[in-house]
Amino acid sequence: MNPTATLSPLPPLAGSGRNLKNRRTPRLPQTIVASATPVPFWSALIRDRRVAPALGLGFTSGMPFLLTYTTQSAWLTDAGVPLATIALLSELTLAYKLKFVWAPFLDQFDPPLLGSALGRRRGWLFVAILAVMAMLAAIAFGDPGHWLWWTIGFSLALGICGATLDLVLDGWRISSVRAPEKQAVLSSWTEIGWRVGNLAAGAGALYLSDQYGWKITYLCMAGLMVVGLIATLFAPEPRSDREPHKPYAGFFMTIWIPIRDLVTRLGPMALAILLLVAGFRMPGYIANAMEIPLFKHQGFSNTDIATVTKVFGFWIALGGTFMAGWLIPRIGMMSSLLIGTVAGSASHLALALLAAHGGDEGKAFWTFALAVGVDGFAHAFASIVLITYMSTLATAEHAASQFGLLTSLCAFPGSLLAAGSGYVIEHTGFVWFFVWTSMIGIPVALLAFFVWYRVGISDETPLEIGTGH
């Protein structure tokens, strides 16, 4: 890690290469020139020894969330648990929204026993994966129809372990590589693994449950987590993990220090950048809540919805992920962020078109597939762009803490507004609902351009406070 990185007023982003301090008048960012040796995407899987472990770790990270609630809700339904109770159990995933609270302690302390052998982040990865395996096995031996509290208790613990796995993986990824163009490639391969793991814990688990029952299914899911253990052993230890610990500052200060560090480094642009993070995926969160009701309203069957959103949508999302990983190193971080903002919100017009088309009572299958494809591709592209951008905002020292905080900030406003989406549709209808969600992206895109305009600094050279470089 460059020792000046934590002293820069802003993390390295793409743009004009000028220091804000030396700007007397605002200037439009210069045209970004692609590097003469762009970072490879496909060959990185072989040439960069961080990428293959990231793929395996992403796979294990993509499994616990669905197995905590979404997939498990099918088991609860089969067991005769009342729908009202199943809906309440969605709160078992609350740990994913609150994970930033204990993230600073993962940055600060080594895990017992494994820390000296594997390092701070790899040690925590090993511990978190083992804990997820143990919780999945415990759930497997439960019976929600008769011992619901057993299932609730271990599912709550699974949510905490899964959120911790996400945190430590993000910390390892961010501290392993700092350059945004390399981070984009590493993030993309991690996301690819996550989507495969998500597919295994979703469609794969449902298929296994029909064939062998839920006990065998959850034991198989626990067994698949071995992929993460192997990936952890082969993952390189980040250089920052070898640095000595700072003295323990107390419970409150351990949580506060990463937040203070982030806001201090962002300086006068902190509010604009944090608003950009909070608003970037807001249109997507609001629209996603009403996508399935739209499809059902158009007359599409559960089989149609599963085929298009899960099978076809899986490959479309991979395409968007590949595109982001390939494009960011070539055009720069901030220009990619602007494109992602526009694409992520404008894609909702495809859903508005589907709503206006009417679905033809479920017969307009290809119109349905086209709308889902456009929205899914743009969503996947925008997600990688945002993940890469938030990764550049975090320091290696506080990687898990600051990235966890930023992801919570990203999810909270959209999730809150999504709660009222049904009431909006009752007054506007589906067509205008998706038109309005796409228009939310306009002020967010303007904010992205403003941040690029004011914070156009180099992708490569970290800036030291007061140096004028």
Side-chain angles (χ1 to χ4, degrees), residues 1 120-121 171 175-176 237-244 396-397:
M1 185 185 79
R120 189 176 312 147
R121 302 199 189 281
S175 56
S176 291
E237 181 184 6
R239 198 183 320 170
S240 60
D241 282 12
R242 303 169 198 159
E243 297 174 359
E397 181 183 358

Side-chain angles (χ1 to χ4, degrees), residues 35 89 113 185-186 260 284 321 330-331 341-342 435 454 468:
S35 170
L89 294 183
L113 303 177
V185 173
L186 190 62
R260 184 182 63 190
T321 302
R330 286 159 176 78
I331 68 173
T341 305
V342 174
V435 169
R454 294 294 303 274

Side-chain angles (χ1 to χ4, degrees), residues 10 20 34 70 128 155-156 187-188 206 234 244 255 290 302 369 381 397-398 407 433 435 454 459-460 466:
L10 280 165
L20 281 175
T70 308
S155 296
L156 181 62
S187 298
S188 296
L206 292 173
F234 283 95
I255 297 174
M290 287 293 109
N302 289 336
F381 177 88
E397 181 183 358
H398 304 297
T407 54
F433 171 77
V435 169
R454 294 294 303 274
D459 271 344
E460 298 294 338

Side-chain angles (χ1 to χ4, degrees), residues 13 19 52 117 153 167 189 239 258 285 302 455 459:
L13 307 175
N19 193 326
L167 280 171
W189 281 108
R239 198 183 320 170
Y285 275 104
N302 289 336
V455 191
D459 271 344

Side-chain angles (χ1 to χ4, degrees), residues 250-274:
F251 181 83
F252 175 78
M253 289 304 296
T254 299
I255 297 174
W256 171 244
I257 286 172
I259 301 173
R260 184 182 63 190
D261 172 78
L262 177 63
V263 174
T264 300
R265 284 185 300 104
L266 298 183
M269 290 297 294
L271 180 60
I273 292 173
L274 294 177

Side-chain angles (χ1 to χ4, degrees), residues 96-132:
Y96 283 86
K97 299 181 180 68
L98 300 177
K99 59 186 179 180
F100 66 90
V101 175
W102 65 91
F105 299 93
L106 302 175
D107 282 330
Q108 175 71 12
F109 301 108
D110 290 348
L113 303 177
L114 292 174
S116 58
L118 297 177
R120 189 176 312 147
R121 302 199 189 281
R122 292 198 306 155
W124 279 121
L125 278 170
F126 210 87
V127 169
I129 293 169
L130 285 176
V132 168

Side-chain angles (χ1 to χ4, degrees), residues 139-162:
I139 292 171
F141 287 100
D143 180 0
H146 298 88
W147 315 326
L148 182 59
W149 286 108
W150 174 284
T151 301
I152 291 174
F154 283 105
S155 296
L156 181 62
L158 175 61
I160 295 171
C161 296

